[in-house]
Amino acid sequence: MSGELITCELTCLPTSSDPEEILKRSREMDCEQPIFSVLSGGGKEAGGTAVPNSCGGGGAASPAATTSDTESGIFSGECELCVEHESELDWFCGTEQKLICSHCAIVGSCHGHTVTPLATRVTAVRNQLVDVCEKMQLQALRIERFIDQTLTAKEQKLQAAASNAREQVLAQVSAVREALEEEEQRLLEEVQREEERVEQCLLTQKAHWSQALASLTQTRSRLVHTLTHTPDAQLVTSVQDIAERVEEAEGVGEPCDTDQLNLNTGCSDSKLLRGLWAAAVLLGPNAYGSSYLKFDERTVSPLLSLSDDLCTLTFLHKKARQALPYDPARFDCWPNALGSLSMSSGTHSWVVDVGQSGAFKVGVCYASLERKGSGNEARLGYNTQSWVLSRYDGDYSFCHAGKKVPLQVVRTPQRIGLLLDWPSQTLLFYEPHSGAVLYSVTQNFSAPLLPACAVTDRSITILH
């Protein structure tokens, strides 16, 4: 407010219940009640004109002066009057949220509403503001304490923590690097020894067969000379000599190619390198393989059902089985199915959910695998055309060509991952959750491979 503040004395309304007496008394006290215009928004404007209030517009300013309430600290401007009753707006209507006079509360438009003396309302509002300010002050103190203590301490610890993290990374990388360097040196030396061994075998074989060739050539030349230059009479008497020379030639033997003359590829085999390579692939973005990998419905055995998304195989009991149309690609006796993706280059990985099944096989096979009949030719893992990891009666094994390699599994895997690296001709089975390698095999694959599965208990699913 820009005008001079005029004090008003605070006088309470009578407690009589007679509306006429209250009206009479209120007229006598028209400008004796305090005016809290600063809270109601109806205070005097800069130009000295009364601002319209919520009780029906701006009444004429009371000539009486306003006073300051020394107890509540409330300062008021000039008195505002109710337009309808020309009385002070010294009450507050909680129902309509506006300032009213006593007549409005008793006989006016706010009769029956929740009303409180303006001073009481102002005190409540001020108390609320005090509470809010105290809460804000406490919050400000907490923020200051957080900045000065917590954040400062964090900032001081950050450098030490970052330094420790860097040292840990460097230590781990150094350990891996050292192990790799030692493994590299060991493998190179092993390859060198194997190369020298093969070279020595080749030299020995070359020297032996060169000598045998020279001896055979000399013997043949003598026999040819005997045949062409010896008279008949002498030739007849030289049968024993000829027989000895023939026996000597036959003793040379036939040359034979053996594995000893080839480099043993196992000399470069390393569990450490294979594990690191597998981890790099399996922890990458393509660990679950291509979303295009599904089961080929043409290959699905009548013992199985295939889901609509072509990803889940379910074993069917006899009553649920249905006759399927003949297809040369379909397995008719074994509960097998093949994947739709042919693999003959690059690196491929996929994951099969086997958590619901207690009997299954997952692996790969050649497309030429037999599909018909109940013989081993069409049974996964029992021929030279398929490589599978099998679970049966709680035991895990790797199966190929009818041979089983028992596997030690720490815990029952819910999922089994397969990784096929064509350049290195390596097939690897692993547990995706831990990344543990269950089994790996290196094989000279001679034709494109297809994912292969079998299930005789509940279902298995290709995951994407």
Side-chain angles (χ1 to χ4, degrees), residues 212-265:
L213 177 62
S215 175
L216 186 64
T217 302
Q218 183 179 7
T219 301
R220 178 180 176 278
S221 298
R222 290 178 179 176
L223 291 175
V224 170
H225 184 272
T226 300
L227 177 64
T228 56
H229 294 82
T230 303
D232 294 344
Q234 186 178 354
L235 183 62
V236 172
T237 59
S238 302
V239 173
Q240 182 64 31
D241 182 57
I242 294 174
E244 291 177 358
R245 293 182 183 276
V246 170
E247 183 179 358
E248 179 182 353
E250 291 177 347
V252 172
E254 292 291 333
C256 180
D257 187 7
T258 65
D259 290 338
Q260 295 296 320
L261 302 178
N262 299 322
L263 185 74
N264 180 13
T265 56

Side-chain angles (χ1 to χ4, degrees), residues 158-378:
L158 173 62
Q159 188 172 6
S163 178
N164 291 336
R166 292 188 186 94
E167 291 178 359
Q168 182 178 4
V169 170
L170 292 176
Q172 292 177 344
V173 172
S174 177
V176 173
R177 183 182 294 112
E178 182 178 353
L180 284 175
E181 289 176 351
E182 292 179 358
E183 186 70 358
E184 178 188 23
Q185 184 65 26
R186 184 189 71 81
L187 291 175
L188 292 178
E189 291 176 356
E190 185 67 24
V191 171
Q192 180 67 26
R193 284 193 295 270
E194 180 65 10
E195 182 184 20
E196 292 175 354
R197 182 196 67 79
V198 175
E199 285 183 346
Q200 185 62 40
C201 288
L202 293 175
L203 290 175
T204 301
Q205 290 286 315
K206 184 179 292 186
H208 170 75
W209 289 108
S210 295
Q211 182 179 358
L213 177 62
S215 175
L216 186 64
T217 302
Q218 183 179 7
T219 301
R220 178 180 176 278
S221 298
R222 290 178 179 176
L223 291 175
V224 170
H225 184 272
T226 300
L227 177 64
T228 56
H229 294 82
T230 303
D232 294 344
Q234 186 178 354
L235 183 62
V236 172
T237 59
S238 302
V239 173
Q240 182 64 31
D241 182 57
I242 294 174
E244 291 177 358
R245 293 182 183 276
V246 170
E247 183 179 358
E248 179 182 353
E250 291 177 347
V252 172
E254 292 291 333
C256 180
D257 187 7
T258 65
D259 290 338
Q260 295 296 320
L261 302 178
N262 299 322
L263 185 74
N264 180 13
T265 56
C267 68
S268 61
D269 187 29
S270 168
K271 291 184 178 180
L272 175 61
L273 292 182
R274 189 189 307 115
L276 290 175
W277 162 75
V281 175
L282 301 180
L283 296 178
N286 297 320
Y288 278 68
S290 170
S291 59
Y292 297 106
L293 175 57
K294 301 180 186 296
F295 287 111
D296 183 354
E297 57 184 336
R298 295 179 58 234
T299 67
V300 177
S301 166
L303 305 178
L304 307 175
S305 68
L306 182 61
S307 61
D308 292 338
D309 62 0
L310 308 181
C311 292
T312 300
L313 291 176
T314 302
F315 181 72
L316 297 175
H317 296 285
K318 291 184 178 180
K319 293 183 179 179
R321 296 173 186 171
Q322 298 179 355
L324 298 176
Y326 175 84
D327 194 309
R330 190 183 312 281
F331 292 92
D332 61 356
C333 290
W334 295 107
N336 303 340
L338 304 183
S340 58
L341 180 63
S342 177
M343 301 169 288
S344 58
S345 63
T347 301
H348 304 269
S349 62
W350 63 99
V351 176
V352 181
D353 186 342
V354 296
Q356 297 184 17
S357 179
F360 61 84
K361 295 177 182 178
V362 292
V364 296
C365 71
Y366 292 136
S368 58
L369 180 69
E370 182 60 49
R371 313 297 173 88
K372 306 302 179 182
S374 58
N376 287 339
E377 294 78 9

